[in-house]
């Protein structure tokens, strides 16, 4: 069995948050997607939006799993509205792999806003 594609991983901090084993303020949850504030926010609004299922990175997303990204973006857009930054603007970022600085190997979108964001750095 390919252990990288099991539903949850006991050694994954974000799977532990999904399971309620590590506390986080869950801001959104449905069957496939959940979201909570980043523990180390770099913007006034900084929320992580994730699949409940463990997918290590964007590079590990299977073609058949692509619709899940749309559901994550839908949740991020809803959260942006709820946080009052839909009009002022926000950024969605996915870091995939070492060069992008991905620290936690469980696919996640960073929803960032609430101040002007520099670009191209
Ligand atoms: P990455 O660099 O992998 O794209 O981002 C990982 C993010 O997860 C970081 O911004 C980091 O602050 C956040 N993070 C890491 N561990 C935890 C945690 O236990 N709880 C929460 N809420 N955020 C975490
Ligand atoms: Zn995980």
């Amino acid at each position: 069995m390919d252990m990288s594609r099991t539903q949850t991983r006991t050694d994954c901090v974000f799977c532990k948050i999904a399971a309620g084993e590590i506390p986080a303020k869950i801001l959104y949850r449905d069957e496939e997607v959940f979201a909570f504030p980043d523990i180390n926010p770099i913007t006034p609004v900084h929320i992580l939006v994730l699949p409940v299922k463990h997918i290590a990175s964007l590079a590990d997303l299977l073609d058949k799993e692509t619709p899940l990204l749309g559901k994550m973006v839908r949740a991020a857009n809803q959260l942006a509205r709820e946080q009052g930054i839909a009009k002022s603007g926000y950024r969605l970022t996915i870091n995939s792999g070492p060069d992008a600085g991905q620290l936690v190997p469980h696919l996640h979108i960073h929803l960032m806003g609430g101040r002007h964001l520099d670009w191209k750095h």
Side-chain angles (χ1 to χ4, degrees), residues 9 12-15 54-55 105-106:
R9 286 192 59 136
C12 171
V13 60
F14 289 169
C15 283
H54 183 89
I55 296 170
H106 180 133

Side-chain angles (χ1 to χ4, degrees), residues 8-9 19 24 26 28 32 41 43-44 49 51-52 64 88 95 110 117:
T8 58
R9 286 192 59 136
I26 304 299
Y28 178 91
E32 293 177 277
T43 48
V49 183
V52 173
K64 69 177 182 186
S88 54
N95 297 319
H110 295 257
L117 302 167

Side-chain angles (χ1 to χ4, degrees), residues 67-109:
L68 188 53
L69 268 188
K71 293 173 184 173
M72 291 163 66
V73 170
R74 184 190 155 282
N77 280 344
Q78 180 181 315
L79 285 159
R81 289 192 295 274
E82 289 171 2
Q83 298 287 322
I85 58 168
K87 294 239 170 357
S88 54
Y90 55 101
R91 182 171 296 157
L92 303 185
T93 298
I94 299 176
N95 297 319
S96 186
D99 275 359
Q102 184 182 3
L103 295 175
V104 180
H106 180 133
L107 175 63
H108 51 281
I109 296 177

